[in-house]
Amino acid sequence: MNKYSPTPFLYLVAENLISRFGTDLSDIVVVFPGMRAKLFLNNYLHQYVKVPLWSPQYQTIESLFTESSPLQIGDDILLISELYKIYNQIHNKHFKKPFKKTLDEFFFFGETLLNDFDEIDKNNIDAKLLFGNLQDLSTLRDNLSHLSENQIQALIHHFKHIFQNKTPLQNNFRNIWNMLGEVYTSFKTRLKEKNISYPGMLMRQVVENTENLFKEMHYAFVGFNALNKCEEQLFELLKEKSSFYWDYDKYYLETEAGQFIKYNIHKFNSSLPPQQFDTFLNIDKKITFLNSFSESGQSAVIPQWINSLQKESSFIQPNSAIILCNETILPTIIHTIPPNTVENINITMGFPIVQTAISGFLQILIEMQIKGYSPANQSFGYKYVLSVLRHPYTTLIFPKALEVEKELIKNNIFFPTLAELQDEILFTYVPDTLSLTQYLLNIIQKLKQSYKNKDTNIYAGLYQESIYSSYIIINRLYRLLSTENLNIGKTIFSWLLRKYLSETKVPFNGNPVKGLQIMGVLETRTLDFNNLIIFNVNEGYMPGHRNENTFIPQFLRKHFRMYTVEHQDSIYAYYFYRLITRAQNITLVYTTNETQIGKAEMSRFLLQLLVDPRLKDNIERFTLQASVIPMHSRHITIDKDKSLLEKIKNKYDLNTNIQAKSLSPTILSCFISCPYHFYLEYIQELRNKTELSSETDNSIFGSIFHQAAKLLYQQIGTRQIDSKTLDMYTQSPQYIRNIALEAFQREFFKRQVKEKDYNGKQLINLHVICKMLDRLVRFDQKHTPFSILELEFPINGSFPIKKGNIHINIGGVIDRLQEKDGKHIIIDYKTGHEKNSFKNLSELLSTKHKHIFQAFIYATLYSQKEKNKPIVPVPLYIQRIHKKKYSPILIYNNTPVDNFNKFEIDFKNLLFKKIEELFDPNIPFQQTKTIQNCEYCSFKERCNRY
Ligand code: SF4
């Protein structure tokens, strides 16, 4: 068979219009399903005649209806609020009791009803019949005489089920159903009085009142497929003065993809001959199936696709298109196109505002206003405030945002006041919906002024446009709320705003007839491309889902010829087959892993192509190999070059810097546990950003306990303590509670907070701290008498290190120093637990004896000052002190460590040898080999250790 080059559908239309009407097309009205085709048709008309011509007028089907009606399409919110009023009245009349739901509660149900009414009108359905009293099954039989006996039986069976079984749900359904006819009629009367309508009502009004409505023009309906009843009726009315251009192909005309076109051709004829619609199998076609394991990995094929097209001499950019069945992958696709490979890119589909920064910004502002405000504290909660402060747009309009954030975190402020937040526009509470819209408008207004020229990348114009469009949407809502006195809550407002933002797309600038095209499936109607790559050709996207709620049972929808799932599948089948009919180089990408909407399955349309024997030589199948290199966890080593060594010395060597810092027991422990962690945290100072949290994490919990223990013994003072001294605490728990509350205030809230304002977790932690203090006092009581010498005692000492002429300072704070039986006991409170016995000193320089190691460092420092008395270092495990057998005394090879002096020299030698390693250029910083050390480490992700 001789294969030929395909001619685009719109070119055929152009050719036909010129041959029939000449170059003056000013009396022709070309009507498209969407306006996208206008530029392409105009282009083809000029290409065909090659001389100036009078262009036709262009309309979309919506604009044709709208222009022909005196009614205006009302805003959804206004329509639903009118519907609410009517529903209320009719409900009261039917049930003889007031309808208790508010407009907010009614809103979603109202939206469902509005959709149903819209469809009823678009399909010219007799609402009286649909919502009639279907309990009377004989009426049903009369009214549905157009159905077959089997269909009627099925309906009767269903309604018997509904009306004879009386579960509360069925009762409810029946009661509502029986009043819907009246709601529908009264609602439409009310809208007519106000001169507003929903789209279906407007369309029905037009086709029921057509006299003299349509001008003496010739109408050309181009590229339509499934028509609703009103459209069909309009076509019928204008049939005599119209041309119909249906786009189809013999290949799929007899399948589900062609079912509507076949009906339309039969009813309205076609202005183009059938010979022009036998293209699919008669052109050279190369179809490549590409399987990608992941949804995000699909775009990796784009550079190769562009490259292969450029090698073809026939490659013309506007003749090539990237089609997205799932439009949310647009940003990934744009970023994958290699720069300078294509002259122009034309993104025809628009960018959803909901995917731009302004949408997220508005959502966090609204969330702060709705969920974040605490009437008790008369301020916003920190979580919501921090989200706002951290948003990049906030820094544009409030340059102090970072500073304020730091202050809140530093001072643990959970409910910051307006004075602390320092910005009235952002942080003023707005009590109602109207003031919320005004609040958002003020912020966007300020943002619009600050945003200008801040950004210069590909998205700059787009983001500016999205800010502008959001302003328009909110302003529209503001005007509705203020002029119509609508009483909707903030939550519904937030939902509506999100809905409008997700429906609004910001156009990319570009010329649609130039450059490589990127578009969604709907935009492809009537257009043809020679080279196509289609992404996400998966079930769920192709065919897609339409999840519209409806109150009308599916079987009734079917019988009244309303929109059903099968209907939707046929429409998608048409989109798919029409799109690939005239294309010669087609790449179909599908994923086999999960997609955003669930399990990934190749689209049924791909399977249909695969099983078609006529295409067996046209199809090739490949798997997209993502060039992802598996991440092996490599061992990280940081060599100490000259500059790093200088940095270390500058930080910790007194001979290099007299203001060098002290090495604390905690820092030394860290160096022993993981030198790489030490390097990150103490040399590179990569600390985890401190987070403000209303929850007391382990370290904060430990600080509160330390503070409480200090306050308790400060109350007693440095005197001999006997059992009686501590009685007041064991006998009156309120003393302990007051101390714990004070410690919470100082360490956690950093301000006065009443116990009644503690949240649940804080109260639990308060209770645990009280319990631990009680145990400490009871434990101490058993070990009286003793004397407190110091509380939170800062101690340090400087030491020379033999190797490398280094001099270091070691310092820390001893929790409690006390004297008993002539010994000085160094108490280090521990809220965790470790073994308190060891076999040799070198064991202490490992991670399993961190607590003993730290206590020994305190003892080393204290022994520089106290030469006469035996020193006893004791890590005191607060969680264990209530146990009968618990003894805090450390055990070395079965003997109690009751005098540190015996260990001092050997321990110091080992310690200094370890510290030498820190300054040794030949010993790099390495990751720990003990993987357990990584369990709670904040650098886990960086190290790839999970
Ligand atoms: S994750 Fe492990 S290896 Fe990495 S820094 Fe932390 S403790 Fe060291």
Side-chain angles (χ1 to χ4, degrees), residues 672-727:
I672 290 169
S673 300
C674 176
Y676 180 58
H677 184 145
F678 170 87
Y679 162 78
L680 293 175
E681 183 160 351
Y682 297 105
I683 304 296
Q684 294 301 351
E685 298 187 356
L686 295 178
R687 302 230 166 98
N688 251 4
K689 199 172 174 191
T690 323
E691 272 298 328
L692 178 55
S693 165
S694 61
E695 293 181 16
T696 41
D697 64 17
N698 284 348
S699 75
I700 260 291
F701 185 84
S703 312
I704 297 170
F705 175 79
H706 276 72
Q707 180 66 248
K710 179 177 130 186
L711 287 171
L712 193 148
Y713 279 102
Q714 259 174 356
Q715 266 187 7
I716 297 169
T718 48
R719 59 184 162 106
Q720 170 104 341
I721 294 170
D722 55 28
S723 178
K724 273 208 154 134
T725 325
L726 299 173
D727 274 353

Side-chain angles (χ1 to χ4, degrees), residues 674 676-677 680 927-928 933-934 937 939-940 943 945:
C674 176
Y676 180 58
H677 184 145
L680 293 175
Q927 287 173 296
T928 178
N933 293 351
C934 306
C937 178
F939 300 113
K940 265 200 297 199
C943 292
R945 291 207 171 165

Side-chain angles (χ1 to χ4, degrees), residues 194-217:
K194 297 192 92 169
N195 205 34
I196 54 171
S197 67
Y198 47 89
M201 174 177 163
L202 184 143
M203 291 172 97
R204 193 167 193 169
Q205 186 272 333
V206 170
V207 292
E208 283 173 354
N209 304 277
T210 48
E211 272 170 51
N212 304 325
L213 259 183
F214 293 95
K215 302 174 212 155
E216 279 311 310
M217 304 284 273

Side-chain angles (χ1 to χ4, degrees), residues 395-408:
T395 40
L396 284 183
I397 53 175
F398 177 40
K400 278 185 170 176
L402 206 65
E403 222 175 278
V404 171
E405 182 197 340
K406 272 191 193 154
E407 279 302 301
L408 298 190

